[in-house]
Amino acid sequence: MSDRGLKQLSIATLLVLAAGVALAVFRAPIDEFGFVQKIFYIHVPLAIVALAGFIAAGIEGYRHLMTDDPRHDANSYVFIHISVVYGAATLITGMIWAKAAWGHYWVWDEPSLVSFLIVFLLYATYYPFRYAIEDRDRQARYASIFAITAGLFVPLNFMAVRMAENLVHPRVFATAEGGLPGSMLFPFLVCLAGLALLYVTLVKLELLGKRTAGRVARLSAEARAAGDGDDAPRAGVSTGSRIAPKMESR
Amino acid sequence: MNSSRRAFTAVVAKDLRTELRTLRSLPAMVLFAVTAFIIFRFGLDRTVLSGSMAAGVLWVTLLFAAILGINRVFLPEREEGGFDAFRLAPVDRSVLFAAKAVVLFLYLGAVELVVVPVFAGFFLDSWAGLPPLLAVLAGANLGLAAIGTLISSMAVNSRARDLLVPLLLLPLSVPLMIAATSATAKLLDAAGPDYTRFGTWLLVLALYDGIFWLVGYSTFEYLLED
């Protein structure tokens, strides 16, 4: 992903998100759960975008293995990073909704909550796993395999958890998702678009930050080499970024 | 093709022979499982288990015993240069995955051969559920062997080896454990084995096994590269 058009993208994100929130708050009807039901317009898009990001990370991991291009590894890393942040937000908003709708912050009989928590915990191990490997190239390769394995795990896990549930509990979300009336669907879609745009903006920002940090580290190494009369810049001085060492040189 | 098969049998035979001579993994796994049963007996304060309680105790113990074995699958290769030797050999790298996963599968089966009868003797009133349990054990072992080999090969080259294996294995094995415990709970019911949805859970196990054997087999060459 390139970082061109970041400013325009940020403005578009802000506008769409503001429109989505305004539509959800003022236009959408209030159902039997009252105002707290509005969290639905943030919670469900957050979950959808987070899962899509995990799957995109798996695809980027696959492309990294195929091409050995560190940019794909950086993309995979940043996708997982932002998706984990989105996942934490999904869990928190989901718990607020559960407290309002069912009276408990955590409901073990609700497969959506449980399966999402398992996926979140798995991706939370990405960081200790990745940084436990010292060699940079090996780290990138192993992280890609993790991204592919975990990406395939996501649908399998949802299926297994859903099957373990006997479906005796009322499926509040199923009825809501099954037949969203037009007055709810439009604000929902705008919120989804807004949060997806926010995701892309955050991904681009983080990639830009990593690339800049890498460039700064390389330039300062060159300056030091020129000043001290060192023969060559030492390898592995990019202290700014812990991933994708060769990213800035492409 | 022929050289792959020869390499495969050579690695499997080597691993089994070293295990039989040194007994590094199997006795520890069995001992761990039997001790865990005793802890469960006092922790739960029950002498007879059935249904989901029996399934939970059995599978938690087997999973944790499997972690002990998984930690050591690639340890000799790293310490004694097996990886370098394999890299030099003109054979397909995925062969090593298949061989190690088969070895791990055999280890798990050998441990269960001792541990499951002990469990039945300790906690079960009726042994009628044990023969069909074999299918569940086989399905879960295949899956554990695949992800265990994959995780072990990644963890062995990192600093936090002993920490990473359980950290990665536990969330990855959740679907496997859901299917295995759900099927086992019905089999060990106090009223006798009950086969509702037994086939469905076996299918879930088979799906899981298929996916992770494929992932392991196809990505393994990137793990061995250096």
Side-chain angles (χ1 to χ4, degrees):
Chain A
M1 268 194 191
S2 82
D3 46 340
R4 271 175 301 160
L6 192 55
K7 198 192 225 169
Q8 291 88 325
L9 187 69
S10 312
I11 294 169
T13 305
L14 206 64
L15 288 178
V16 177
L17 260 185
V21 171
L23 277 171
V25 171
F26 297 114
R27 272 287 302 283
I30 286 179
D31 72 353
E32 76 261 37
F33 287 109
F35 192 76
V36 72
Q37 188 261 339
K38 304 277 192 196
I39 208 169
F40 179 67
Y41 293 97
I42 300 294
H43 170 69
V44 179
L46 274 174
I48 293 174
V49 176
L51 292 177
F54 284 141
I55 291 170
I59 295 169
E60 283 294 309
Y62 175 75
R63 288 174 69 190
H64 172 247
L65 285 187
M66 290 297 114
T67 61
D68 209 22
D69 183 341
R71 275 177 301 181
H72 290 307
D73 173 55
N75 284 344
S76 174
Y77 174 88
V78 174
F79 280 148
I80 288 180
H81 190 148
I82 306 292
S83 277
V84 166
V85 175
Y86 264 51
T90 305
L91 283 172
I92 292 167
T93 50
M95 281 162 70
I96 295 171
W97 156 253
K99 176 74 178 167
W102 302 311
H104 300 283
Y105 282 112
W106 193 257
V107 185
W108 281 108
D109 298 319
E110 178 52 49
S112 323
L113 260 76
V114 179
S115 45
F116 202 89
L117 178 69
I118 297 164
V119 167
F120 179 78
L121 287 176
L122 175 63
Y123 276 99
T125 61
Y126 180 75
Y127 304 95
F129 169 66
R130 180 160 189 144
Y131 296 130
I133 298 158
E134 278 161 61
D135 181 66
R136 287 286 181 88
D137 288 330
R138 179 178 273 168
Q139 187 191 85
R141 233 170 24 237
Y142 285 20
S144 295
I145 293 176
F146 178 98
I148 295 169
T149 313
L152 286 168
F153 169 82
V154 168
L156 199 67
N157 172 57
F158 268 75
M159 195 190 78
V161 174
R162 223 159 258 269
M163 280 178 66
E165 165 75 352
N166 288 321
L167 292 178
V168 286
H169 285 262
R171 305 279 301 128
V172 180
F173 284 124
T175 53
E177 275 167 4
L180 267 183
S183 58
M184 288 170 85
L185 185 63
F186 181 63
F188 178 78
L189 287 180
V190 176
C191 281
L192 180 61
L195 284 167
L197 279 174
L198 179 66
Y199 187 93
V200 177
T201 313
L202 289 174
V203 164
K204 286 190 168 212
L205 265 177
E206 193 178 345
L207 280 173
L208 178 64
K210 290 204 181 305
R211 211 169 300 142
T212 312
R215 200 174 291 150
V216 167
R218 198 178 39 142
L219 284 176
S220 63
E222 274 170 14
R224 209 176 314 126
D228 299 348
D230 261 353
D231 292 332
R234 280 167 296 154
V237 280
S238 53
T239 47
S241 170
R242 290 214 279 175
I243 67 155
K246 292 183 291 251
M247 211 177 118
E248 67 276 7
S249 60
R250 301 226 174 186
Chain B
M1 202 64 232
N2 200 17
S3 72
S4 289
R5 201 176 328 124
R6 267 215 310 279
F8 172 82
T9 41
V11 173
V12 172
K14 178 218 79 158
D15 269 23
L16 293 182
R17 206 154 45 226
T18 7
E19 178 59 34
L20 281 179
R21 284 185 191 162
T22 60
L23 289 174
R24 262 201 280 211
S25 301
L26 292 182
M29 289 163 82
V30 171
L31 255 173
F32 170 85
V34 173
T35 321
F37 289 147
I38 295 168
I39 305 275
F40 271 120
R41 184 255 169 270
F42 290 104
L44 298 169
D45 200 16
R46 301 257 195 104
T47 48
V48 175
L49 296 178
S50 69
S52 57
M53 184 72 93
V57 167
L58 179 64
W59 280 109
V60 166
T61 307
L62 289 180
L63 180 63
F64 286 2
I67 287 176
L68 291 185
I70 289 169
N71 257 328
R72 298 177 174 201
V73 171
F74 283 101
L75 208 53
E77 311 305 328
R78 187 184 157 79
E79 284 175 352
E80 281 146 53
F83 277 133
D84 298 328
F86 202 84
R87 255 185 238 116
L88 288 173
V91 284
D92 203 354
R93 270 85 190 274
S94 307
V95 168
L96 188 59
F97 172 81
K100 285 290 185 179
V102 165
V103 167
L104 187 55
F105 178 77
L106 293 176
Y107 281 11
L108 292 172
V111 168
E112 281 153 9
L113 209 62
V114 183
V115 164
V116 174
V118 169
F119 171 80
F122 275 9
F123 293 117
L124 295 184
D125 266 346
S126 131
W127 292 35
L130 290 189
L133 187 63
L134 280 177
V136 184
L137 286 169
N141 286 355
L142 274 176
L144 278 177
I147 49 168
T149 308
L150 193 61
I151 290 171
S152 180
S153 61
M154 295 201 267
V156 79
N157 286 314
S158 74
R159 272 176 285 143
R161 176 169 51 83
D162 299 331
L163 191 72
L164 273 183
V165 168
L167 213 58
L168 289 173
L169 184 75
L170 291 187
L172 273 175
S173 63
V174 168
L176 202 68
M177 285 298 122
I178 289 176
T181 49
S182 304
T184 310
K186 296 269 172 55
L187 289 181
L188 301 182
D189 219 24
D194 168 11
Y195 292 97
T196 39
R197 297 224 285 169
F198 185 67
T200 320
W201 289 123
L202 284 187
L203 221 71
V204 174
L205 286 177
L207 185 66
Y208 186 98
D209 298 348
I211 288 178
F212 286 108
W213 272 83
L214 266 179
V215 170
Y217 196 79
S218 53
T219 56
F220 200 73
E221 55 176 306
Y222 300 102
L223 288 171
L224 219 56
E225 232 174 64
D226 225 349

